[in-house]
Amino acid sequence: MLTYTLTVYTGERLLSGTNSTVYIKLIGEEGESDNKKLNPFIGIGSGSEKQLKIKTKKTLGELLFVNLKSEKFVGLNDDWFCDKILVETPEDARITFPCYRWIQAEDELQLRSAKATLVFQDINPQLKAHRTEQVERRQDLFEWGFYANGVPGTIKARTAFGLPPVIRFSFQKQTEFVYTAAHALISLNLQVLADNKEKWKSIDELHEVNVGKKTETYAYVEEHWAEDEFFGYQLLNGINPMMIKLCSTLPENFPVTEDMVKGLLGDSTLEQEMQKGNIFLCDYKILEGLVGNVVNNKQQYLTAPLCLLYSNPEGKMLPLAIQLGQKPGADNPIFLPTDTKNDWLLAKIYVRGAEFSVHEADFHLLRTHLLCEVFTVATLRHLPSPHPLFKLLYPHTRYTLQISIMARNLLISDIGAVTLYSGIGGDSLPELLSRATASLTYSALCLPENISERGLENVPNYYYRDDGIKLWNIINKYVGGVLQYYYKSDEDVQKDTELQRWIMEIFKHGFLLNKSTGIPESFQTVVDLIKFVTMVIFTASAQHVAVNNGQFEFGGWMPNYPNALGKPPPKEKGQTTETTILQTLPDKSTTVHAIASVKLLSTQSTDFRALGDFPDQLFDEKVPCSAIKEFQKDLKALEDSIEQRNDKIPLSYVYLLPKNIENSVAV
């Protein structure tokens, strides 16, 4: 008799164990074993390692599958989370069969070894059939859904709880997110104001609102929010570092004159500073014509401002001029730092309100959540578990579908917080998303090209760019190290039919077959593949964190990030008072619901996995495993470098510290 020794690893997460009876069978090229009970007398505990010996009369040949079957114990449904199974063969080979998923009672599952293969490399008929069947089954499980016209496709599912076991939330994550959503107002001590529709009596009254422990950044924002220097800083290193761009020629609809900015540029002129590359622009024209939402039975107002900025010799980015509408005219004045304090402050508040709308809808929801949902669905539908790209991307899809579904239900549904309590809620949100989708380009999603297109290569103190480019390069090196091992030539890429169907589905459902986006419809070279996969991982990890994690710190202090504006923009100068500002800002109820929402979105979960933390052993070959170790080493070196930099600057930029970056869009 020959002996195969199996070690079965159960996940450590809460409720991973089971009382169901688990049967295991080995299937090889030359035969298969009998079914054998893993737990004949007792249940399987969370975090346990159980050893099982399976005896056969003859060798099974090359092992193809480990077959798992779960049967109810006394009729009870009791799911099991299996991490992996290690098999030691009579020939002294050690083979890992990764699982890392929930197995329901009465389920039967076949696991393949951790060795990655491309579709044309699987020549065994059983392996080929299993590969095809897995993709077909996944396509039945993960269907495309619809959110709004002109917007990327979504997963077809009403709630996160109905998703298949292969990607189900951990019990801890699931209950934690629901608890946080239900109790955010209470945890922030804001419930007493939740139904109060009065306006704030003063900015000092806002200072008295207790939002719990304030971070260094939150306190800094609260103290400096009204200052020009901080206004400009945020456009580089706040929660939306994506709007600002170089201005070499003034837009025709923004007639700022030399006289307007005289004295604000030292002895220089606006024309001279534009030639030097020191003038910048934020243009919110994407909001033009959108109608504000009705919040607490009161009309809110959206504006489409233009904001001109100056990078001065001290490296400070300062606002020079603000026009609150796209069409110049006597009733659309250009506001300046030399205007009255209240006029200038209110103009900046309208820009910050436009920032809320564009950031939350375009740069946060669309460009991270919705796109990563597309990447995840396409990966599950077209890449089987032995595909190297599936193994590479899987950690970067963790919880993405659940979070996207729950975000739609909690934030942008008919009863969602954005719908009820923000100026961009209602009918204008899907329209803004449609406009943003139509303007998407591949180059805008690739950070090095994005920075170049916006002319920001040499702007001082742009920490998002500095840290982001380094992260992009580290991810690119890692992706290249893995994919070049499996794709030996461009021909390998071209004949990988699974890969080609994957990218075509992304082009169709993510970018709506729009060729002007520059998104590839197919891959012809290894280099092209590496670039695209780098973009996917960067978007799911670093980019999402950059536009998500600072929402409470930069937006919890409402005047800095107003979610709704209750008065139309002023049509003349000199009329703004502090009362005007307070009447424009959101009321108390709207304010505290917004604070609770950004707190929820910024809260790190307890089962957070940092970028490069891959506890699931999906690869077992030396080259990809070495690439992972090198990736982790590079991330640690970058982390040390960023922390040294942060020690020398007034306000630390921490969002792209690798230890703060989650592998996936998971919050």
Side-chain angles (χ1 to χ4, degrees):
M1 299 288 286
L2 300 176
T3 302
Y4 291 81
T5 303
L6 285 68
T7 306
V8 181
Y9 297 82
T10 295
E12 296 183 354
R13 65 186 70 192
L14 190 63
L15 305 181
S16 288
T18 186
N19 287 313
S20 295
T21 302
V22 175
Y23 294 88
I24 298 182
K25 178 168 66 174
L26 300 179
I27 301 174
E29 279 192 318
E30 299 176 21
E32 58 186 57
S33 70
D34 295 330
N35 270 318
K36 187 162 185 180
K37 286 185 181 180
L38 174 63
N39 54 331
F41 305 114
I42 58 174
I44 303 171
S46 297
S48 66
E49 298 178 16
K50 280 188 169 291
Q51 198 168 86
L52 178 70
K53 294 186 182 296
I54 293 179
K55 295 185 180 294
T56 63
K57 292 180 179 179
K58 63 176 184 176
T59 181
L60 302 178
E62 180 182 349
L63 285 184
L64 304 178
F65 308 107
V66 171
N67 196 82
L68 298 177
K69 184 177 180 181
S70 175
E71 291 186 354
K72 295 178 183 178
F73 176 71
V74 295
L76 297 175
N77 284 314
D78 192 6
D79 298 352
W80 174 45
F81 192 93
C82 176
D83 272 358
K84 63 182 179 181
I85 297 175
L86 177 64
V87 180
E88 298 179 55
T89 72
E91 296 81 21
D92 294 327
R94 292 168 59 87
I95 307 169
T96 299
F97 290 79
C99 183
Y100 302 106
R101 56 159 287 178
W102 292 98
I103 301 172
Q104 294 177 304
E106 306 304 319
D107 265 3
E108 188 165 356
L109 182 68
Q110 284 189 333
L111 305 180
R112 285 189 57 163
S113 75
K115 181 181 179 182
T117 58
L118 300 173
V119 61
F120 53 83
Q121 294 169 335
D122 268 344
I123 56 176
N124 180 282
Q126 289 178 271
L127 293 179
K128 290 171 69 175
H130 178 266
R131 192 178 192 115
T132 301
E133 289 165 7
Q134 186 183 70
V135 168
E136 290 174 349
R137 188 165 59 251
R138 293 239 203 98
Q139 289 178 3
D140 289 336
L141 289 173
F142 301 100
E143 295 183 84
W144 287 105
F146 173 82
Y147 168 64
N149 287 322
V151 176
T154 61
I155 183 67
K156 186 178 181 180
R158 283 189 173 185
T159 70
F161 309 122
L163 288 169
V166 65
I167 57 162
R168 190 189 304 163
F169 260 163
S170 69
F171 175 83
Q172 183 178 28
K173 176 80 170 181
Q174 178 175 299
T175 54
E176 191 175 80
F177 193 92
V178 173
Y179 176 86
T180 305
H183 298 276
L185 285 168
I186 296 173
S187 67
L188 290 168
N189 303 307
L190 299 176
Q191 69 273 25
V192 68
L193 297 173
D195 297 317
N196 189 330
K197 299 177 183 178
E198 295 177 357
K199 289 288 186 176
W200 299 98
K201 295 181 177 66
S202 67
I203 297 297
D204 286 340
E205 188 182 14
L206 267 166
H207 285 296
E208 296 171 4
V209 174
N210 181 6
V211 296
K213 185 178 180 180
K214 298 175 183 178
T215 65
E216 173 194 355
T217 300
Y218 188 107
Y220 191 96
V221 172
E222 186 175 356
E223 181 179 355
H224 298 282
W225 73 279
E227 299 171 7
D228 285 0
E229 181 181 340
F230 183 68
F231 179 92
Y233 169 89
Q234 290 186 89
L235 295 170
L236 295 173
N237 302 305
I239 50 177
N240 184 19
M242 311 306 297
M243 277 296 297
I244 191 168
K245 63 181 180 180
L246 182 68
C247 179
S248 54
T249 304
L250 282 177
E252 291 183 2
N253 63 333
F254 195 16
V256 180
T257 66
E258 293 287 358
D259 284 343
M260 289 179 182
V261 297
K262 188 175 181 180
L264 299 175
L265 304 172
D267 296 329
S268 188
T269 67
L270 184 58
E271 183 62 34
Q272 288 171 343
E273 292 304 315
M274 282 194 289
Q275 290 177 3
K276 292 178 184 177
N278 292 329
I279 302 298
F280 298 85
L281 177 70
C282 288
D283 187 349
Y284 299 87
K285 60 185 175 183
I286 196 171
L287 296 172
E288 186 178 17
L290 296 181
V291 177
N293 194 18
V294 175
V295 177
N296 286 335
N297 298 317
K298 294 181 180 179
Q299 182 64 50
Q300 306 299 305
Y301 297 89
L302 298 174
T303 59
L306 297 105
C307 178
L308 202 66
L309 300 108
Y310 168 51
S311 180
N312 73 9
E314 289 77 44
K316 298 175 181 178
M317 186 68 71
L318 303 173
L320 274 182
I322 295 172
Q323 181 178 287
L324 296 179
Q326 290 288 308
K327 297 177 182 178
D331 61 350
N332 186 20
I334 295 176
F335 292 91
L336 305 164
T338 51
D339 292 337
T340 67
K341 178 181 177 182
N342 286 330
D343 271 355
W344 183 234
L345 180 58
L346 184 60
K348 291 189 292 182
I349 286 172
Y350 275 101
V351 174
R352 295 302 301 164
E355 270 286 306
F356 176 92
S357 298
V358 171
H359 166 257
E360 292 296 357
D362 186 356
F363 294 103
H364 182 211
L365 177 57
L366 171 64
R367 299 196 191 201
T368 60
H369 282 268
L370 293 181
L371 286 187
C372 288
E373 185 172 0
V374 168
F375 301 149
T376 299
V377 174
T379 298
L380 291 168
R381 283 173 56 84
H382 290 288
L383 301 179
S385 56
H387 198 290
L389 186 54
F390 177 87
K391 294 174 181 288
L392 184 62
L393 290 180
Y394 191 68
H396 306 288
T397 67
R398 182 175 181 254
Y399 296 157
T400 296
L401 298 187
Q402 291 93 331
I403 285 295
S404 292
I405 294 168
M406 295 177 87
R408 280 194 287 277
N409 291 340
L410 291 168
L411 299 176
I412 60 176
S413 67
D414 291 343
I415 57 171
V418 171
T419 302
L420 296 178
Y421 299 107
S422 80
I424 193 59
D427 294 339
S428 287
L429 179 58
E431 173 60 24
L432 176 54
L433 285 169
S434 178
R435 293 181 184 185
T437 302
S439 69
L440 264 180
T441 63
Y442 186 23
S443 58
L445 299 173
C446 298
L447 187 61
E449 294 170 51
N450 178 292
I451 294 297
S452 177
E453 288 178 350
R454 291 193 287 142
L456 302 178
E457 299 96 324
N458 300 313
V459 176
N461 305 317
Y462 192 12
Y463 309 123
Y464 162 78
R465 172 205 59 206
D466 298 342
D467 300 349
I469 291 291
K470 291 172 184 174
L471 275 165
W472 176 278
N473 292 335
I474 288 171
I475 294 170
N476 185 254
K477 173 186 171 184
Y478 163 59
V479 170
V482 173
L483 292 183
Q484 285 172 326
Y485 173 69
Y486 294 101
Y487 293 97
K488 303 298 185 184
S489 67
D490 293 342
E491 183 184 3
D492 286 348
V493 170
Q494 294 161 16
K495 66 183 183 181
D496 185 348
T497 53
E498 293 168 340
L499 176 69
Q500 301 299 343
R501 284 193 287 266
W502 176 76
I503 186 58
M504 187 61 205
E505 188 139 295
I506 290 172
F507 179 65
K508 177 181 179 181
H509 291 277
F511 300 89
L512 310 184
L513 301 174
N514 184 355
K515 294 180 182 291
S516 67
T517 61
I519 291 289
E521 303 170 50
S522 64
F523 293 120
Q524 300 302 314
T525 69
V526 179
V527 171
D528 290 342
L529 173 61
I530 291 170
K531 177 183 174 182
F532 190 85
V533 175
T534 299
M535 180 276 291
V536 170
I537 295 177
F538 182 87
T539 300
S541 56
Q543 185 61 22
H544 176 251
V545 165
V547 299
N548 178 78
N549 286 19
Q551 287 182 95
F552 180 66
E553 292 185 315
F554 280 87
W557 174 248
M558 178 273 292
N560 186 59
Y561 194 58
N563 53 306
L565 297 170
K567 289 178 72 68
K571 295 183 177 181
E572 56 183 319
K573 295 186 180 186
Q575 304 300 308
T576 302
T577 64
E578 183 177 349
T579 300
T580 310
I581 293 173
L582 293 169
Q583 289 297 311
T584 302
L585 291 172
D587 62 33
K588 294 177 180 180
S589 169
T590 306
T591 297
V592 299
H593 279 95
I595 293 172
S597 294
V598 295
K599 178 65 174 178
L600 167 64
L601 293 169
S602 305
T603 301
Q604 186 181 99
S605 62
T606 52
D607 60 351
F608 166 92
R609 287 185 185 175
L611 183 61
D613 178 14
F614 305 137
D616 298 355
Q617 187 186 341
L618 300 179
F619 289 106
D620 69 350
E621 295 139 292
K622 182 177 179 181
V623 170
C625 290
S626 296
I628 290 172
K629 290 180 180 178
E630 188 70 16
F631 183 44
Q632 294 166 338
K633 179 181 175 183
D634 290 343
L635 290 170
K636 183 62 173 68
L638 175 60
E639 187 172 293
D640 293 343
S641 172
I642 292 173
E643 289 183 328
Q644 290 173 14
R645 188 267 322 280
N646 283 343
D647 287 340
K648 302 173 185 177
I649 57 178
L651 182 61
S652 297
Y653 184 75
V654 299
Y655 302 115
L656 293 183
L657 270 169
K659 67 181 179 183
N660 292 338
I661 300 172
E662 193 146 13
N663 272 322
S664 59
V665 176
V667 66

